[in-house]
Amino acid sequence: MKSHIEYAVRSVLAVALCLCGSVFAYNEYLVPLYRSVASPASDVATIVGIVFSLFVASIAYRCPDNIRYEAFLGLALGCYAFGSIGIVAGFTLSCPLALVAGGVLFYMANEWFFFLTMLCCCNVDRAFQPLVISLGIVLAYGCSSAIAAFPAHLQHACSLFLPIACVPLIVGQGRKTFSIINDAEPMRFAKIASPRAMLPFHHMLFMLLLLLQLSFGYSTYIADESFSSPWGFAIPVGIVVWNIVRKGRVSADLVFRIEALAVIAGLSSVALASHLALKLYPALLSMGNCGYLAFSLIVLCGIASRNKSASLLVFAWGSSLSEIGIVAGANLASFANSSLHVESISFLVAIITVACALFLTYRHNIDDVIEGVSAPPSSMPMSMAGIARSDVLERSCDAIASNYKLTPREREIVGLLARGRNGVRIQETLFISRNTYKTHIRHIYEKLGVHDQQEIMDLVEHMEHA
């Protein structure tokens, strides 16, 4: 019990330091300096960060065994070291090229540290993950508020130091998750027999995150106080209280509704442009933006924890969508300011946010979507492991083949699936192509009325006890 508590505390501190350094301090103190010396630096770094996240997602999807923990951590530290040197040299010498190069490497290092931190959170007990993330956000906001009182040179130093401060807390902790990722069947194959192992890239939950981050980017640019306002504590504190009341369980749907309501109210206040509204909108947007952060991390961590073999893929894909949404929202806000149509565009963004959020969630419960994700049998204890003799399994598969009119080839595949074999092993054993395998899987699922490999294993086990 003590080790679990210690691990949870380390995760809270890692989340706090990672967010405070790579999100709050970076945007508050480094980005303005970028623009003073080389205005494209932050934009180039963001674009490279998006491409980098998409690249990591592609590798994690196609060949996860090629991403090793030691190399991952080593590249993160290398990017951080050279990026920090480039930033300091760029500011000191007023050299735009050094600043752009340093900014890109530093931004990539922040992405590495974010992935490692969230992978560590996946090892926290599922019931306590929302609490860990919420407390981490609270501490990150508190740290950010404290840094705001420092002299300028200390603020810049903290911006450079904080991202790496989380490394001692996560070194070695992500190794367990990486071993699962490296040993797992590539998701492009695993999802054929186990569609619920990973949400589709175009799933409504990912599209909802993209939409919310667009609104987040817009409102952050509109309200300069969106990161530093003390009202930003309100949402994470509320989440923490809710966790305590509900004994560690938090509703992602509730978090979504609260933060969406805050941002919609804030954007509507901007549109009203009254004296009272102008006083309220920074606090409302700050509360909503903090809620966005909590919601996105809770959702991504929840999905990743349900199937740890796809955890890096989930965080990389989610991070790329978030960055795309933030960039699109910030550019929209910049256009609104330059065209002097802030009120009307803010009102339009609020309406679009409401409409799209309702459309994306009216048929889905977010918590149910997360719980619907399940690891493929190759990543979990096999339900058929207790069968003493293989002939019992064979008789069960023969009975299923007879009852459901399976072809001889389909019967072979069912037998291999019941033993927990993954798609690659089945294709190699039967000397069939991936497309042929997919066709057989589709026919088997239609005949048996199942949706993934685990249900086939359950059906065979049930037949054995019948």
Side-chain angles (χ1 to χ4, degrees), residues 68 92 95 163 175 199 235 238 241 267 325 352 355 381 407 436 454:
R68 296 295 172 176
T92 304
C95 177
R175 195 183 305 275
L199 294 179
I235 293 295
V241 172
L267 292 175
I352 292 175
T407 67
T436 301
Q454 184 60 52

Side-chain angles (χ1 to χ4, degrees), residues 219-350:
S219 56
T220 299
Y221 195 96
I222 290 294
D224 293 335
E225 297 181 52
S226 56
F227 281 121
S228 58
S229 172
W231 286 98
F233 283 95
I235 293 295
V237 168
I239 295 173
V240 171
V241 172
W242 188 261
N243 274 274
I244 295 173
V245 172
R246 297 293 298 274
K247 297 181 180 180
R249 186 178 184 277
V250 67
S251 169
D253 288 276
L254 177 65
V255 179
F256 164 68
R257 294 187 182 102
I258 292 175
E259 52 85 11
L261 181 62
V263 168
I264 291 168
L267 292 175
S268 301
S269 299
V270 174
L272 292 174
S274 65
H275 180 70
L276 177 61
L278 292 177
K279 287 186 175 181
L280 288 177
Y281 85 83
L284 289 171
L285 292 181
S286 177
M287 293 169 62
N289 288 344
C290 184
Y292 279 165
L293 186 59
F295 175 76
S296 61
L297 294 184
I298 289 172
V299 166
L300 291 177
C301 199
I303 296 173
S305 297
R306 296 288 299 172
N307 179 14
K308 292 182 182 179
S309 63
S311 54
L312 182 59
L313 171 60
V314 169
F315 290 125
W317 178 242
S319 177
S320 62
L321 289 181
S322 297
E323 294 295 340
I324 291 172
I326 291 172
V327 169
N331 280 280
L332 180 61
S334 178
F335 170 76
N337 283 334
S338 62
S339 63
L340 302 179
H341 291 94
V342 176
E343 293 83 5
S344 56
I345 293 179
S346 296
F347 182 73
L348 180 63
V349 172

Side-chain angles (χ1 to χ4, degrees), residues 377 382-384 417-418 420 453-461:
M382 297 181 186
S383 60
M384 298 301 295
L417 290 173
Q453 184 177 1
Q454 184 60 52
E455 290 186 8
I456 288 180
M457 296 169 72
D458 293 340
L459 180 63
V460 173
E461 186 175 20

Side-chain angles (χ1 to χ4, degrees), residues 174-252:
R175 195 183 305 275
K176 178 181 177 181
T177 305
F178 259 87
S179 65
I180 297 174
I181 295 172
N182 295 147
D183 294 339
E185 180 184 24
M187 196 51 56
R188 62 176 176 148
F189 294 118
K191 71 175 185 178
I192 298 174
S194 301
R196 291 186 290 188
M198 172 67 185
L199 294 179
F201 292 120
H202 61 278
H203 192 274
M204 76 89 190
L205 197 51
F206 288 130
M207 296 303 102
L208 182 61
L209 290 176
L210 176 63
L211 167 70
L212 295 181
Q213 293 301 332
L214 187 148
S215 181
F216 173 83
Y218 179 86
S219 56
T220 299
Y221 195 96
I222 290 294
D224 293 335
E225 297 181 52
S226 56
F227 281 121
S228 58
S229 172
W231 286 98
F233 283 95
I235 293 295
V237 168
I239 295 173
V240 171
V241 172
W242 188 261
N243 274 274
I244 295 173
V245 172
R246 297 293 298 274
K247 297 181 180 180
R249 186 178 184 277
V250 67
S251 169

